[in-house]
Amino acid sequence: MKSILTFLILYFLVSSCTNGTNKIIITSPETLFNNDWEFIKDVDEKLVFGNQNIEWEKVSLPHTANIEPLVIKGKQWMGTCYYRKQFSIPANLIDKHIALKFDGAMQVADVYLNGNKIMTHFGGYLPFYVPLNKHIIKNQVNTIVVKLNNEDNPEVPPGKPIDELDFNIFSGIYRNVWLIVKDKLHISDPIGADRVAGGGIFVTFKNVTYTNAVVSVKSDINNYYNKNVEAIVQVTLKDKAGRTIKSEKSPNTKILGETNQVIELSLEINKPQLWSPHNPYLYTLIVDLIREGEIIETISEKIGVRTFKFTTQGFELNGQPFYLRGTNRHQEYPYIGYALSDNANYRDAYKIKEAGFNFVRLSHYPHSKSFMNACDELGLLVMDAIPGWQFYGNSVFQQNVINDIRKMVRRDRNHACVILWEASLNESGMPVEFMQKAHNTVHEEYPTGDVYTCGWIDKVYDVFIPARQHAKPPLYWSNYKKKPVLIAEYGDWEYYAQNAGFNQTAFKDLSPEERNSRQLRGFGQKRLAQQALNYQESHNCNLKGAHTGDANWLMYDYNRGYAPDIEASGIMDIFRLPKFAYYFYKSQAKQGDSSNPDLYKPFVEIANYYNDPSFLDVKVYSNCNEVELFVNGKSLGKKRPDNDINSTHLASPPFTFTLPGFVPGEISAKGYIDGKTVATSTRKTPGNPSSVIIWVDESNRKLQKGVYDIAFLYAAVTDNNGTIIPDASNTIAFKIAGDAELIGSNPIDAEAGIATILLKIGKKGGTLNVLATSHNLKQGKLKIRVK
């Protein structure tokens, strides 16, 4: 039989003040509600809700309330802004369950419908659910207004004033909004359901081996009818090819009027494909809600079957020892703050995987659902974290923290990638009673299966996650048996503190600038090489202890509220351009570490621009067995990986060469495996600037129209041979023709030879023509086709 959802494939009328009527086709219980919003900020509230004629800006989501400068030297924009959207509900939908779900809005949200406030939500990093039925007027235009305030608020996590905070919270409705249209009998939403461990679909696993596994599926059903209703739940598991592996159906179950009920089914599967970073295999789980023989709702989720365990001996995944080689990530983009498209979040995850990591800590708040989905798909294990940094507030703040923990677990509990719940306020003093409550809340919301909490204080939580600067040298942990340990941050602070970490002797003669791991790409190759060595020294030292893993600080440069400069510890800069340290980490991944053979194929990368006679050290990062270096065609010989104090425990130590002198030309490296050449790399001495070249970063996800996709657009200064000039700072201007816009400083000075701007794709797609020009240089041209 056809489902009621088929009947709901209708035109849902959405009208705006100025655009007339647009049509949105509803094809599922949740439909994106991102288009045709209006926005205004810094205006008297009386004008917003009055009849005065004020000028609203037409926007679509995700959206930031303010385009920030590249380097936020003072406070980011903070204040009150408003979003408005008008829509009509056809009469035949009035008896359905209708709601909106906001994935993220910063940070106190008052929601009004037709002038009446219907909800206030506290918190900028997690979803909130807004039922609309009691307030909608049928067959008339309804107006929803969202008032947002992102000013300092000590009762809303992270709570710390922005000018004392180590990151920025930014602004706007910066994640997706969803329109929910369901039958009054429906599968509830885990965010909208105020029930411990309740709401939506909850998937856990039992008895997982490579020969057998049991998938348990709890379906939380709401009955908003004022009468009893009978229903059946059917659960179907499909493989990647879409073939049905197993299907189970519940008995016809009576659900009392105006109540909810959980129906649990188990699927036993033979020879399951177990999810891991090496094999991120995702099944499709389909849950059908059936009433009177008819499917009235279908929910589909991607799930990964796996089991894991933390012990004082290490971490095990699917019964095998597994070292968590990780990084930290802030979700910020330049200019737009947190307002990333779903594709942009995927590209960030892809770069983390491409850099050789298998684990990422979400710093210091829950990241978007699209980033979590990408981690599932790509095979990145995740430490999920509540908002917090060096702040512990009053009782209202504490209760909001507990609410955040509940929402975080309910939102992310079905993700294959999540292995740790950081229910701890990062680097914050917390009483034991609060930590116990936070820890217990995770276990209440996730009462069965593999679940581990973690915290930076060595009490209460299941796993201890110190930063190197807060803890003992890694060898201390060899005899530490109290609980599992994962180094959550390393490589930055101990060098920034200018004490060279735990290796005083090796770095005693360095200047403060050299010791510092906070290095912009524009600081030059010597300092980038030192940053890479700092990370190498720290990671190698961590591997000596009995750890479950480590996570460097960090993947991408970012702005921070308390400082007037960009925090430059990233192994890629804020524009996602790699530094030398990126290639060090990439070399630590082996072939077979991913199901995607293109990610970790053999490579060599030379960490020297070959343009400075005073810099004759050549570090080559590679995952090959041997490397041979050539200077202007003459071989310096083959070398095996380094075997020095900073390389003793690495999977693939670098290869170090010293040039006999400097003669302009080129250096090239060949990588060998079992005596065969498998990779090459060349650095040419750059000549005089002559041209500009352009490229766009798609990172395994093509630019997409209609979703306001965001990507980085790069323009580089090159010589006649196409070599990027690493010390060029030419001013470059970007122009674009087509359905897209440029966001950012324009023109902008190149940093280390490359200028970057954001490219935002419009609704229609088609051909984009990009020009990049600089004084006296041949202009760069790029044609982009967007589908």
Side-chain angles (χ1 to χ4, degrees):
M1 288 187 177
K2 293 183 179 179
S3 74
I4 286 180
L5 281 180
T6 304
F7 304 150
L8 290 181
I9 301 177
L10 47 81
Y11 290 105
F12 187 87
L13 303 180
V14 182
S15 61
S16 72
C17 294
T18 56
N19 280 354
T21 300
N22 297 298
K23 293 179 178 179
I24 293 177
I25 300 177
I26 296 176
T27 57
S28 68
E30 296 189 2
T31 302
L32 274 175
F33 206 56
N34 285 350
N35 290 333
D36 303 309
W37 287 79
E38 297 176 306
F39 168 78
I40 198 167
K41 67 179 178 183
D42 298 327
V43 66
D44 193 313
E45 185 170 321
K46 294 178 182 178
L47 297 177
V48 173
F49 292 102
N51 295 319
Q52 290 87 347
N53 185 18
I54 57 175
E55 187 174 348
W56 292 75
E57 177 187 353
K58 299 180 184 68
V59 301
S60 294
L61 310 179
H63 182 261
T64 182
N66 196 66
I67 299 297
E68 300 288 349
L70 175 61
V71 183
I72 305 173
K73 294 184 178 180
K75 276 191 178 182
Q76 62 162 74
W77 178 86
M78 304 188 85
T80 299
C81 63
Y82 300 85
Y83 290 83
R84 182 175 74 175
K85 185 173 173 111
Q86 295 185 320
F87 59 96
S88 299
I89 299 293
N92 63 335
L93 283 187
I94 285 296
D95 65 343
K96 306 301 177 187
H97 171 72
I98 302 172
L100 292 177
K101 183 164 71 174
F102 293 78
D103 282 349
M106 191 61 70
Q107 69 175 340
V108 177
D110 292 319
V111 182
Y112 299 81
L113 188 61
N114 301 322
N116 301 308
K117 185 161 77 170
I118 59 176
M119 172 180 282
T120 298
H121 176 262
F122 299 95
Y125 293 100
L126 285 159
F128 57 98
Y129 192 88
V130 187
L132 299 181
N133 287 77
K134 293 180 181 180
H135 311 279
I136 285 178
I137 304 172
K138 66 179 179 180
N139 291 329
Q140 290 188 25
V141 173
N142 292 265
T143 301
I144 187 161
V145 173
V146 182
K147 174 186 175 182
L148 287 177
N149 182 276
N150 71 334
E151 293 174 297
D152 292 338
N153 191 326
E155 294 184 344
V156 180
K160 198 176 185 73
I162 192 70
D163 56 6
E164 299 175 17
L165 191 63
D166 191 40
F167 51 93
N168 289 73
I169 64 173
F170 297 104
S171 58
I173 304 179
Y174 68 93
R175 292 180 184 163
N176 295 324
V177 177
W178 302 88
L179 171 67
I180 315 293
V181 180
K182 297 187 177 188
D183 191 88
K184 285 186 177 180
L185 179 73
H186 61 265
I187 300 171
S188 65
D189 187 276
I191 301 301
D194 189 17
R195 296 184 284 278
V196 173
I201 307 301
F202 190 178
V203 183
T204 55
F205 307 100
K206 301 174 185 176
N207 306 322
V208 175
T209 67
Y210 284 95
T211 58
N212 190 270
V214 176
V215 182
S216 174
V217 183
K218 292 181 179 179
S219 302
D220 191 318
I221 312 299
N222 279 342
N223 178 13
Y224 283 162
Y225 289 105
N226 58 7
K227 61 181 180 180
N228 300 342
V229 177
E230 291 187 339
I232 293 171
V233 171
Q234 179 171 292
V235 177
T236 303
L237 193 66
K238 295 190 174 185
D239 64 13
K240 273 190 174 181
R243 297 183 293 258
T244 296
I245 302 298
K246 199 83 171 182
S247 186
E248 295 289 345
K249 186 182 291 188
S250 74
N252 208 15
T253 303
K254 181 187 290 186
I255 303 174
L256 300 179
E258 299 180 343
T259 66
N260 76 288
Q261 185 160 333
V262 175
I263 298 176
E264 183 172 4
L265 291 168
S266 292
L267 305 173
E268 187 169 351
I269 52 177
N270 296 320
K271 296 182 179 178
Q273 287 270 7
L274 299 189
W275 185 96
S276 72
H278 300 168
N279 179 43
Y281 191 95
L282 295 175
Y283 291 92
T284 300
L285 180 71
I286 300 171
V287 180
D288 292 316
L289 180 61
I290 302 169
R291 179 185 175 192
E292 297 178 353
E294 186 169 21
I295 298 173
I296 61 171
E297 182 177 356
T298 299
I299 289 183
S300 177
E301 288 199 6
K302 299 289 187 181
I303 64 167
V305 180
R306 81 284 187 264
T307 185
F308 57 88
K309 181 168 62 174
F310 285 89
T311 72
T312 55
Q313 300 305 308
F315 175 71
E316 293 181 8
L317 181 64
N318 299 324
Q320 301 296 319
F322 190 96
Y323 189 85
L324 298 168
R325 186 177 59 251
T327 189
N328 283 256
R329 182 232 186 191
H330 272 298
Q331 66 181 9
E332 168 194 349
Y333 260 30
Y335 308 118
I336 61 171
Y338 290 163
L340 279 64
S341 65
D342 288 350
N343 287 337
N345 274 299
Y346 173 91
R347 295 182 190 110
D348 257 15
Y350 186 81
K351 291 181 185 68
I352 293 171
K353 181 77 173 183
E354 195 175 34
F357 297 114
N358 56 40
F359 169 73
V360 56
R361 178 189 183 213
L362 307 186
S363 312
H364 295 291
Y365 41 78
H367 293 204
S368 74
K369 188 78 172 174
S370 55
F371 184 80
M372 305 296 289
N373 290 340
C375 291
D376 285 343
E377 179 182 338
L378 294 167
L380 282 169
L381 294 157
V382 167
M383 181 193 297
D384 216 343
I386 56 172
W389 191 81
Q390 295 188 1
F391 184 83
Y392 182 73
N394 63 19
S395 60
V396 176
F397 172 88
Q398 295 165 37
Q399 186 55 52
N400 283 330
V401 171
I402 299 302
N403 293 341
D404 280 348
I405 293 171
R406 294 195 187 280
K407 281 191 174 185
M408 175 179 70
V409 177
R410 290 179 194 175
R411 189 195 74 164
D412 295 337
R413 63 196 179 192
N414 292 341
H415 283 286
C417 61
V418 179
I419 56 171
L420 283 168
W421 305 97
E422 189 177 351
S424 167
L425 297 168
N426 184 56
E427 298 184 3
S428 306
M430 299 169 289
V432 170
E433 294 78 13
F434 175 82
M435 290 189 289
Q436 192 67 59
K437 186 173 183 179
H439 166 82
N440 290 345
T441 298
V442 173
H443 285 273
E444 288 169 5
E445 291 290 344
Y446 204 128
T448 59
D450 298 319
V451 56
Y452 293 87
T453 65
C454 59
W456 81 286
I457 294 176
D458 186 15
K459 294 177 182 178
V460 178
Y461 299 107
D462 299 315
V463 177
F464 181 34
I465 54 165
R468 265 175 60 115
Q469 70 269 20
H470 298 154
K472 304 284 186 179
L475 287 176
Y476 169 85
W477 305 116
S478 298
N479 298 313
Y480 182 85
K481 301 300 180 184
K482 186 176 179 182
K483 60 176 61 181
V485 176
L486 187 152
I487 300 296
E489 298 177 23
Y490 72 89
D492 164 42
W493 220 132
E494 61 264 28
Y495 295 99
Y496 186 72
Q498 300 175 7
N499 65 8
F502 300 113
N503 192 351
Q504 302 288 343
T505 304
F507 296 115
K508 65 181 180 179
D509 297 324
L510 294 178
S511 69
E513 292 79 13
E514 290 173 320
R515 263 183 212 149
N516 192 344
S517 289
R518 299 182 178 182
Q519 304 287 357
L520 294 169
R521 280 195 324 109
F523 286 171
Q525 59 184 341
K526 290 182 181 179
R527 290 172 65 169
L528 294 181
Q530 184 62 49
Q531 182 202 43
L533 181 59
N534 290 354
Y535 283 125
Q536 177 187 336
E537 186 272 335
S538 299
H539 181 57
N540 183 71
C541 191
N542 291 342
L543 290 167
K544 297 175 184 178
H547 297 297
T548 61
D550 60 4
N552 82 327
W553 189 264
L554 78 165
M555 186 67 194
Y556 306 118
D557 293 352
Y558 67 101
N559 280 283
R560 53 214 167 122
Y562 76 79
D565 60 349
I566 287 178
E567 210 285 50
S569 301
I571 66 168
M572 301 184 94
D573 71 4
I574 198 169
F575 297 121
R576 279 52 176 172
L577 288 165
K579 306 175 189 178
F580 290 163
Y582 169 92
Y583 299 103
F584 162 68
Y585 284 106
K586 185 176 176 66
S587 70
Q588 300 311 296
K590 295 290 189 181
Q591 289 177 278
D593 277 1
S594 171
S595 59
N596 181 350
D598 291 332
L599 275 176
Y600 302 137
K601 59 187 178 183
F603 85 99
V604 287
E605 184 68 27
I606 301 170
N608 187 306
Y609 297 143
Y610 200 51
N611 66 340
D612 182 354
S614 70
F615 189 53
L616 300 180
D617 293 330
V618 178
K619 192 84 71 174
V620 179
Y621 297 110
S622 178
N623 53 7
C624 297
N625 302 141
E626 291 181 303
V627 166
E628 185 175 11
L629 189 71
F630 297 82
V631 180
N632 294 321
K634 183 178 179 180
S635 175
L636 296 187
K638 292 182 180 179
K639 282 197 173 185
R640 302 289 292 178
D642 294 347
N643 188 25
D644 57 23
I645 189 174
N646 296 320
S647 304
T648 54
H649 287 68
L650 299 178
S652 296
F655 301 78
T656 301
F657 296 84
T658 301
L659 300 179
F662 181 81
V663 178
E666 68 174 37
I667 52 176
S668 59
K670 287 185 179 180
Y672 298 91
I673 294 179
D674 298 330
K676 296 181 180 179
T677 302
V678 292
T680 60
S681 178
T682 299
R683 292 278 193 183
K684 294 183 179 180
T685 304
N688 294 321
S690 68
S691 305
V692 177
I693 60 171
I694 317 174
W695 70 100
V696 66
D697 170 38
E698 292 186 298
S699 290
N700 204 45
R701 184 58 57 90
K702 293 290 185 182
L703 295 173
Q704 185 179 355
K705 68 179 180 181
V707 294
Y708 304 97
D709 201 359
I710 291 281
F712 291 104
L713 188 63
Y714 304 113
V717 179
T718 69
D719 64 12
N720 284 325
N721 296 317
T723 300
I724 296 175
I725 299 172
D727 55 1
S729 58
N730 303 56
T731 300
I732 295 179
F734 294 85
K735 292 182 180 179
I736 190 164
D739 185 30
E741 65 175 297
L742 301 174
I743 301 174
S745 300
N746 191 17
I748 184 173
D749 293 342
E751 180 183 10
I754 302 173
T756 310
I757 200 166
L758 291 180
L759 175 65
K760 184 175 182 179
I761 306 300
K763 290 183 180 180
K764 300 175 183 177
T767 300
L768 309 177
N769 290 293
V770 185
L771 289 179
T773 58
S774 186
H775 183 63
N776 288 335
L777 301 183
K778 181 181 178 181
Q779 68 181 10
K781 297 180 180 180
L782 180 66
K783 185 175 296 229
I784 304 170
R785 290 182 173 86
V786 180
K787 296 182 179 180

